[in-house]
Amino acid sequence: MKKIVLKKVSTLFILCSFAISASYGNTVQNISKQNKNIEAYIKVWGLVKYRSPLSIAGKFDVDKVFLANIEGVKDANFEELNLLLLDMTNNAGVSVNSRNASKSCTNCLTKNMDDNWIGNKLFSKETRLKLKGLYHNINLSESHHYINKVHYETEILNEPQYKDYVAFKDETMNLLALAKSWSAIEYLYPYKYQMDKNNHQILSEMIPVFRAVKSRASYEKAVLALEANINDTHAAGFLDQLKSKAEIFKINLYPPFDYKCLEKGIVVEEFLNDSLECASTLKKGDVIVAINNVKIKNWFSKKMELLPASNMAVKYRLLSMDWKGNVFAFYDVNDDTLDVKVLRGNKRLSLKLNMLKLTNKNSLTIINKYIKKRVKEDEQVKPYENLGDDVAIIRGGYFSSEHLPKNEKEETKFSEELKSKKALIFDMRKYPNGGLFYYFIPMALGKKSFEFAKYYRANLEDPGSFSLVPGLELYLSNDLKTDDNPYKGKIVILTNENTQSKGEWYTMMLRQLSKNTTVIGSQTAGTDGDLKLLNIPGGYQFIFTGNGIFYPDGRETQRIGIVPDIYFNPSISTIANDSDAHLQRALEFLKHGK
């Protein structure tokens, strides 16, 4: 009898397991189908938003349409989905015969243009025909409801903020945030073609992420993951908007020292106070190469995943302790004491690293005191300084309006001062004062306005492409007062991973201002071009570079940065002391010519 009962139970278990497995399989299959429908819908919605006649004119509420349709999209069959898509395009003023003859644009970037996705099997023949016509339709209105006519404006036009959306549990709103951000990348991001992943692959991967959002923290993390996918240093600005940073990065513990991250490891620069230094087995100048038996390369790789950057130089910059006190190299650490492998000169040591608990008030006091000390020290840096031997340094990031000439007499004095020097060093390692380089520096050095780059903006006629912006006033002021005695001395420019955006733009200018110019430094941030801010639900702004910057000969700057004439990175031994090795290298070059 027992055997018979066991057999029945066994059979029942198998049947139940099969049923559960089949149910799970059906659920997974259904979710996969829903995601593909959502993906197809977002692509068409984005196309309608940026290229349909009524949307361009501001007479088609794309957000309202998205929210009204998204639930019906999920489980729609082939006929239902295409009926919905055709209905949306019809309501947006699209017809099969609405395609305009293409305008020829001899100075346009078209690398981002790709309509292959329209061949999706989810689209009917009629839908494909309509989408093809829409994709190649030219906007002849000379304006666009969602694209700024003034190229340097930062906030994108007519995008609601939805500040009252605070629960983050509404899947339709979360998908709207994805749709708006992804479509902006598709049509307004000039460097889409340079991303590591194809934008359509990114959308496919991000749909389940945004569908799984159930809290503010998971929403912020989803948007941050999308920002990280576009390989743009400007996108790192979204980190400053996070309200759930501690929850996302699980920041509970803090290192007892300031540090810098390099490919080789984490360099201990300075302890937060003398007591912590005395209590630690680590020393200034030590390089941590492994933590809890995890090699530093693998440790960094995990920590970098949510840090938006154009290149690895910026990834290491973001992992390093910054002036705000962020320590992303140590997020998601749960152990009060870490086992670390350390390089100290030629020695390899196994040591213990005791972390500070952020729940401890004394630890917080120490951290805040150190950060304030760093800020105060930075405030003492001189914007202009004579270094002897007829050499002066201009620190672009330390000039404020009060340091600039106030009148013609002061302008003349400023010009005479600079021209009296045999060599000028321009320190571009901190975000520079734009007015200084747009007007005062070229004027003082006797240079007329000139084009030192190719500057492209979003093309209103053909969204997704970018058109060259003419006009010398874009580059330097038309009001420059030059003379017949231009500066003939040597110019050295200092750059590193902190040389970003405007810093890269004016480094390009300085480099071409004189043939006697040398750039000394390492890879820059690789994010030249005005940033754009796109409002998305929850009162957040999705950030990306909105204009394309290239050298006059067409060479790229995005992700690559400004390539130096002399590559230089401070040695590990000099990082931990207070001397500016970068500046010393520049002085050595001026003295010896190499």
Side-chain angles (χ1 to χ4, degrees), residues 562-581:
I562 307 301
V563 179
D565 299 300
I566 298 175
Y567 185 85
F568 175 79
N569 246 332
S571 65
I572 290 173
S573 61
T574 60
I575 288 175
N577 63 43
D578 295 329
S579 66
D580 188 344

Side-chain angles (χ1 to χ4, degrees), residues 148-178:
N148 304 66
K149 196 166 186 176
V150 179
H151 56 84
Y152 52 79
E153 284 184 354
T154 300
E155 188 168 306
I156 293 175
L157 299 171
N158 301 309
E159 296 285 359
Q161 293 183 313
Y162 299 103
K163 286 187 175 181
D164 57 343
Y165 182 58
V166 294
F168 303 98
K169 295 179 181 179
D170 185 343
E171 186 177 294
T172 61
M173 287 294 286
N174 298 334
L175 287 174
L176 176 63
L178 172 60

Side-chain angles (χ1 to χ4, degrees), residues 47 50-52 56 99-115 132-144 147 186-189 457-467:
L47 179 62
Y50 286 105
R51 301 191 72 100
S52 69
I56 288 171
R99 180 173 174 177
N100 293 316
S102 297
K103 276 192 173 183
S104 60
C105 183
T106 55
N107 289 309
C108 282
L109 299 175
T110 58
K111 290 183 178 181
N112 284 338
M113 304 299 286
D114 179 13
D115 62 359
K132 273 281 187 182
L134 180 56
Y135 193 91
H136 296 281
N137 188 53
I138 298 300
N139 171 29
L140 303 176
S141 69
E142 298 185 356
S143 64
H144 197 297
I147 301 179
E186 185 72 4
Y187 295 99
L188 302 179
Y189 181 43
R457 57 148 294 160
N459 186 2
L460 275 69
E461 291 183 354
D462 195 12
S465 69
F466 294 78
S467 55

Side-chain angles (χ1 to χ4, degrees), residues 361-378:
K361 289 185 179 180
N362 185 51
S363 295
L364 286 175
T365 300
I366 292 171
I367 294 167
N368 289 329
K369 187 175 181 180
Y370 178 79
I371 293 170
K372 288 179 181 178
K373 185 190 83 167
R374 277 186 54 177
V375 171
K376 188 173 182 179
E377 289 172 349
D378 195 65

Side-chain angles (χ1 to χ4, degrees), residues 428 493 495 499 503-511 519 562:
M428 304 301 279
I493 308 169
T495 63
T499 307
E504 293 172 299
W505 173 255
Y506 285 117
T507 294
M508 293 173 75
M509 181 273 285
L510 289 168
R511 192 178 213 168
V519 178
I562 307 301

Side-chain angles (χ1 to χ4, degrees), residues 12-72:
L12 182 62
F13 175 77
I14 292 171
L15 289 172
C16 289
S17 297
F18 179 79
I20 292 170
S21 177
S23 175
Y24 175 76
N26 289 335
T27 301
V28 171
Q29 188 175 15
N30 185 53
I31 291 174
S32 177
K33 178 182 178 297
Q34 287 184 351
N35 289 346
K36 287 178 180 178
N37 279 4
I38 293 169
E39 181 180 346
Y41 177 66
I42 287 176
K43 291 178 182 179
V44 175
W45 178 85
L47 179 62
V48 168
K49 176 177 181 177
Y50 286 105
R51 301 191 72 100
S52 69
L54 294 182
S55 180
I56 288 171
K59 297 177 181 179
F60 186 72
D61 192 333
V62 288
D63 286 16
K64 184 178 179 180
V65 170
F66 183 93
L67 295 172
N69 287 335
I70 190 63
E71 285 300 322

Side-chain angles (χ1 to χ4, degrees), residues 490-494 510-511 514-520 564-566 589:
K490 291 183 178 181
I491 293 176
V492 175
I493 308 169
L494 307 183
L510 289 168
R511 192 178 213 168
S514 167
K515 292 181 179 179
N516 206 5
T517 299
T518 304
V519 178
I520 300 177
D565 299 300
I566 298 175
F589 167 77

